[in-house]
Amino acid sequence: MKPSSGSFAAEGYSLSVFSSKVDVAEKKPDTRNIEEAELSLRESSSLNYEEARALLGRIEYQKGNIEAALHVFEGIDIAGITPRMKLTLAKRVDRRKRRSNDYSSPSMSIHAVSLLLEAIFLKAKSLQHLQRFREAAQSCIFILDIVESSLPEGLPDNFGADCKLHETLIKAVELLPELWKFGDSPHEAILSYRRALLHQWNLDAETTARIQKQFAIFLLYCGAEASPPNLRSQMDSSFVPRNNIEEAVLLLMILLRKVSLKRIEWDPSILDHLSFALSMCGDLRALANQLEELLPGVINRKERYNFLALCYYGAGEDSVALSLLQKLLHSSEDPHCVPALLMASRICGEKSNLAEEGINFARRALENLDDECSELEGTCNLLLGVAQSTHSKSALSDSERVSSQSEALQALESASKITSMKDPNILYYLSLENAEQRKLEAALYYAKFLLKLEGGSNIKGWLLLARILSAQKRFVDGETVLNAALDETGKWDQGELLRTKAKLQMAQGQFKSAIETYSQLLAVVQVQSKSFGSGKRLHKDRSPRSLELEIWHDLAYLYISLSQFRDAEICLSKSEAINSYSAVRNHATGLLYEKKGLLKEALKAYWNALDMDPNHAPSLISAAVVMRQAGGQSNAIVKSLLMNALRVDRMNPSAWYNLALLHKDEYTPSSLHEAAECFEAAAVLEDSEPVEPFR
């Protein structure tokens, strides 16, 4: 042994004394220590100071004497041996490439390089154990820098297979990002992950997949926004992720592709994290595509149906989701699957033509519940109540409608009792149902309870409370509630609150204030459109452009009521630029013509609106009013329009009022009696009409 400085033997003895854990009875060191030493001795005829320290440090580390091992490793002159290590690695690659032995022997054997790199790695592990994470990371970086600078084109196949060099390198590649994470350095961790995946380290498929998965998880949940990767070798048309979620999604999709190609084993957590990522960016259709590409048998068929149904429902493709659920609930599959029954009930319960099916699904779910699960029982009753409420709106007879409304309230009240009034969703629908049935005091009670339960964290609760107060003609209180909500809400989420506030101001005759509120709202929406893109949905069924369209319509109606026709026309032109196919815009145009006294043009605009949406209640009522004013039309046609309007919106006071006028014009005892009843209904409904629909 050739000491390069000082007496190594003396220092070796002092190290033995330094370690309080050294004991004769301790386990024998790994025989690989002896083998490495023998190989190094054969190649260089000596074991130098640094190599001896590497061996002694490894022995101490294997005994568990971490501080003693670190003391030994720190005595290695890393800066001094680096050039020789690089030269050895570079010459070994050249020799492999040229298949020639003309070169003089390198100053250090490959086994010595492997031994020293392992010593540096074990130094990093020792520092990690002592929670000196940044210093440990620097040791790993040193290993990667030596290999990367010596082999800029990457490691050849089977390089270092005859020693531990490649194994040590892989461990260092995996450890580095973990050390940066423990050291609270997220940006350095991200760069380390990218370095691990983009450089040619000859990682096996399982190791690469493990790093990709850990990187994706870190990107999703670390809370630090990464800068886009700089991919030097990319082609011009290749995809470059712009943010954490896009990069994580790309990694997870690569992993799923590897599963499909049977390069790695199936890992269900990959799908869990991808589901979260795509849900966060609102692209559940892409998640459905990934699921459909998985080979049969990777996930259970029933689970696949359920998962795909959730994706398609979240993507707004309700009919596809319902079709998948019906397959799952078929007698040959799993007709008693409660989650599938609940989801099918939810989809059907929101549509008037499927409400009866929604009721049946909810009842089947109740029948298949375990007795001890009160949460699911509450959810079943909630969905039953929602489906009954939807069904009541399309009921053909008054008795059927009243019965459905009663059953809806009964189911919702049962749900609230089962959950001890602690489920915000149940309280919301219970308040909403009471409000729509004009039981405003009960609706107000549940809305206040909901707001208190949620701590004002949900915009829906604030909006519902303000609408209920507006139905009670407490406009000032409603505006106060909305101002409080605006103080608690971020700019991006203030759209609906500002719109309702503007309508409350209009109801109080504060038209100038309403216009200012709409201007503020337009500014927010237009910034949203530029920031997120016009097609980006901030909520289900709502994008910034659709909200902007409704704002222009609101302003057009406001200016028409003030007889400011030029301003109304500007608003309508803005609306047309966003969407030329709009029943609301055509109705506003007809109202503008009607206000100008152009009844023929107004009626044409109303018919255009009904061509686009035959169930547009305002257009049905306005067309009936204009036809009645113009005369020369059969009362039966006018009455048919008004009855259709009531079929669509039974709580519309304007429809009842105009139907009353029609009956009054007939001037028969029976028609006068019907007129009186219609006038009474119109008066009651007008007294409890909110500034905008409760739902």
Side-chain angles (χ1 to χ4, degrees):
M1 184 166 63
K2 297 189 299 183
S4 56
S5 61
S7 170
F8 182 80
E11 189 164 354
Y13 281 118
S14 68
L15 281 171
S16 297
V17 174
F18 170 77
S19 172
S20 60
K21 296 183 181 180
V22 174
D23 191 89
V24 177
E26 286 194 88
K27 65 178 182 180
K28 294 180 181 179
D30 193 333
T31 55
R32 286 180 299 177
N33 298 340
I34 300 168
E35 291 169 5
E36 291 282 0
E38 288 176 350
L39 287 167
S40 187
L41 282 166
R42 285 196 202 106
E43 291 183 1
S44 60
S45 303
S46 64
L47 188 68
N48 67 21
Y49 180 80
E50 283 74 19
E51 293 167 36
R53 271 192 170 274
L55 278 172
L56 181 58
R58 185 162 72 179
I59 293 170
E60 292 292 332
Y61 181 84
Q62 288 171 341
K63 288 180 179 181
N65 303 328
I66 303 301
E67 292 185 6
L70 181 59
H71 186 79
V72 175
F73 290 137
E74 285 178 339
I76 298 174
D77 181 14
I78 294 176
I81 60 174
T82 298
R84 289 184 292 155
M85 292 169 71
K86 289 183 177 179
L87 182 63
T88 299
L89 291 172
K91 283 192 172 184
R92 184 175 176 89
V93 173
D94 284 343
R95 195 174 294 133
R96 286 165 59 94
K97 282 184 179 179
R98 302 185 186 187
R99 302 185 181 278
S100 168
N101 295 316
D102 296 339
Y103 296 94
S104 59
S105 297
S107 60
M108 187 180 290
S109 71
I110 192 66
H111 292 284
V113 173
S114 173
L115 186 66
L116 290 165
L117 287 179
E118 186 193 22
I120 299 169
F121 174 75
L122 292 178
K123 177 184 175 182
K125 292 290 290 182
S126 301
L127 289 165
Q128 179 190 18
H129 183 81
L130 298 172
Q131 298 188 8
R132 293 160 62 180
F133 302 116
R134 290 174 179 269
E135 294 175 63
Q138 292 301 328
S139 293
C140 283
I141 288 172
F142 186 79
I143 296 172
L144 303 190
D145 285 346
I146 286 177
V147 176
E148 201 168 23
S149 59
S150 306
L151 312 169
E153 296 180 8
L155 268 70
D157 293 337
N158 299 319
F159 184 85
D162 53 343
C163 59
K164 290 180 65 179
L165 190 150
H166 191 229
E167 180 186 339
T168 302
L169 180 62
I170 291 174
K171 288 178 180 177
V173 167
E174 284 198 81
L175 180 62
L176 180 56
E178 297 300 318
L179 292 170
W180 284 126
K181 286 194 283 186
F182 283 122
D184 195 23
S185 302
H187 292 289
E188 287 81 358
I190 289 168
L191 292 174
S192 299
Y193 274 123
R194 288 175 180 164
R195 184 179 187 181
L197 295 172
L198 294 176
H199 193 78
Q200 182 62 40
W201 304 111
N202 266 354
L203 305 177
D204 60 86
E206 290 296 332
T207 303
T208 304
R210 192 163 55 246
I211 294 172
Q212 287 172 330
K213 178 186 165 185
Q214 290 302 319
F215 186 22
I217 291 170
F218 187 69
L219 286 167
L220 288 174
Y221 312 116
C222 71
E225 190 61 40
S227 56
N230 181 18
L231 306 178
R232 291 169 296 174
S233 59
Q234 72 186 30
M235 298 174 65
D236 291 339
S237 60
S238 58
F239 172 74
V240 180
R242 295 169 296 178
N243 52 48
N244 285 29
I245 290 182
E246 285 190 1
E247 193 166 1
V249 167
L250 179 61
L251 289 163
L252 293 166
M253 288 172 73
I254 289 170
L255 288 170
L256 280 185
R257 180 58 56 86
K258 288 180 177 179
V259 170
S260 297
L261 296 173
K262 297 184 178 180
R263 292 178 184 170
I264 59 172
E265 294 295 320
W266 166 241
D267 180 354
S269 66
I270 295 172
L271 199 55
D272 294 338
H273 295 301
L274 183 60
S275 302
F276 171 78
L278 290 173
S279 299
M280 286 297 292
C281 60
D283 198 353
L284 291 173
R285 187 68 177 80
L287 180 58
N289 291 340
Q290 290 298 311
L291 279 166
E292 288 169 344
E293 288 179 9
L294 289 175
L295 294 174
V298 172
I299 58 175
N300 180 275
R301 187 169 64 173
K302 295 175 185 178
E303 186 183 350
R304 186 191 191 99
Y305 279 142
N306 200 36
F307 212 140
L308 280 170
L310 281 167
C311 292
Y312 281 112
Y313 177 68
E317 299 183 42
D318 295 355
S319 58
V320 180
L322 184 59
S323 175
L324 288 162
L325 290 169
Q326 286 169 338
K327 288 180 181 178
L328 175 58
L329 293 168
H330 192 269
S331 57
S332 61
E333 292 289 345
D334 191 357
H336 307 296
C337 179
V338 172
L341 288 166
L342 291 175
M343 191 176 168
S345 176
R346 177 165 184 171
I347 294 171
C348 295
E350 295 171 347
K351 305 179 187 309
S352 57
N353 60 323
L354 297 173
E356 284 192 70
E357 287 186 57
I359 294 169
N360 292 332
F361 282 127
R363 286 175 176 161
R364 281 173 61 187
L366 277 168
E367 291 168 4
N368 288 284
L369 276 181
D370 294 329
D371 294 336
E372 67 274 7
C373 190
S374 59
E375 288 80 6
L376 275 179
E377 188 180 353
T379 303
C380 288
N381 278 287
L382 165 63
L383 294 173
L384 178 60
V386 170
Q388 290 280 15
S389 175
T390 305
H391 178 61
S392 70
K393 294 175 177 60
S394 58
L396 298 176
S397 65
D398 287 344
S399 60
E400 186 183 359
R401 177 175 54 82
V402 171
S403 175
S404 293
Q405 287 178 337
S406 175
E407 289 178 22
L409 270 182
Q410 186 179 349
L412 291 168
E413 285 168 357
S414 296
S416 69
K417 288 175 185 175
I418 291 166
T419 55
S420 304
M421 297 275 285
K422 291 180 181 177
D423 188 319
N425 208 28
I426 291 171
L427 288 173
Y428 173 79
Y429 279 103
L430 183 54
S431 176
L432 180 62
E433 185 60 28
N434 276 290
E436 290 190 327
Q437 293 187 30
R438 296 302 194 265
K439 298 176 180 179
L440 297 180
E441 286 302 323
L444 184 63
Y445 169 76
Y446 289 118
K448 286 181 176 179
F449 200 99
L450 168 66
L451 204 62
K452 184 178 179 181
L453 182 65
E454 293 184 320
S457 61
N458 194 333
I459 291 172
K460 288 200 315 181
W462 290 105
L463 286 170
L464 182 58
L465 180 57
R467 288 165 183 167
I468 292 168
L469 290 169
S470 75
Q472 294 179 324
K473 308 307 173 190
R474 295 165 59 183
F475 301 123
V476 176
D477 291 341
E479 192 172 351
T480 303
V481 165
L482 290 175
N483 286 333
L486 289 165
D487 290 339
E488 298 289 328
T489 309
K491 282 283 184 187
W492 292 142
D493 299 318
Q494 290 183 352
E496 292 290 353
L497 295 170
L498 287 169
R499 189 181 179 206
T500 306
K501 180 181 176 179
K503 291 184 178 181
L504 281 168
Q505 290 169 333
M506 288 170 60
Q508 297 172 76
Q510 300 171 4
F511 299 112
K512 186 176 179 181
S513 298
I515 291 169
E516 289 173 358
T517 303
Y518 275 123
S519 300
Q520 181 185 351
L521 175 54
L522 275 172
V524 171
V525 170
Q526 287 169 355
V527 170
Q528 280 181 341
S529 296
K530 291 177 182 176
S531 300
F532 299 105
S534 60
K536 175 73 174 177
R537 292 182 182 273
L538 301 178
H539 310 285
K540 190 180 179 185
D541 303 326
R542 170 76 70 181
S543 68
R545 290 294 270 178
S546 68
L547 182 56
E548 184 182 354
L549 183 72
E550 292 169 6
I551 295 165
W552 288 121
H553 292 155
D554 289 349
L555 280 169
Y557 283 122
L558 172 57
Y559 286 126
I560 290 168
S561 68
L562 297 174
S563 298
Q564 297 181 21
F565 301 139
R566 180 59 188 153
D567 290 329
E569 288 167 357
I570 291 171
C571 293
L572 292 172
S573 67
K574 295 279 189 183
S575 158
E576 188 173 15
I578 297 171
N579 183 8
S580 60
Y581 192 85
S582 168
V584 179
R585 184 180 59 79
N586 276 283
H587 176 260
T589 303
L591 206 61
L592 179 63
Y593 285 132
E594 189 178 342
K595 193 83 170 179
K596 290 179 177 181
L598 304 171
L599 298 184
K600 186 176 179 181
E601 289 80 356
L603 187 59
K604 183 180 178 182
Y606 295 142
W607 287 127
N608 287 338
L610 291 171
D611 285 341
M612 295 176 182
D613 182 3
N615 293 323
H616 189 243
S619 295
L620 288 166
I621 297 167
S622 295
V625 169
V626 169
M627 289 175 69
R628 182 173 166 274
Q629 287 176 350
Q633 296 289 342
S634 167
N635 282 353
I637 298 175
V638 176
K639 185 176 181 180
S640 173
L641 290 169
L642 292 171
M643 293 303 291
N644 280 338
L646 286 171
R647 178 183 54 79
V648 174
D649 182 8
R650 195 164 186 82
M651 310 301 279
N652 192 310
S654 179
W656 286 107
Y657 176 75
N658 284 288
L659 186 60
L661 292 177
L662 192 64
H663 285 309
K664 183 184 173 186
D665 289 345
E666 293 176 4
Y667 207 73
T668 64
S670 60
S671 66
L672 289 174
H673 178 71
E674 289 180 6
E677 289 184 344
C678 291
F679 278 129
E680 185 180 0
V684 170
L685 290 172
E686 190 173 21
D687 285 342
S688 59
E689 186 180 23
V691 292
E692 61 185 359
F694 294 112
R695 193 178 293 271

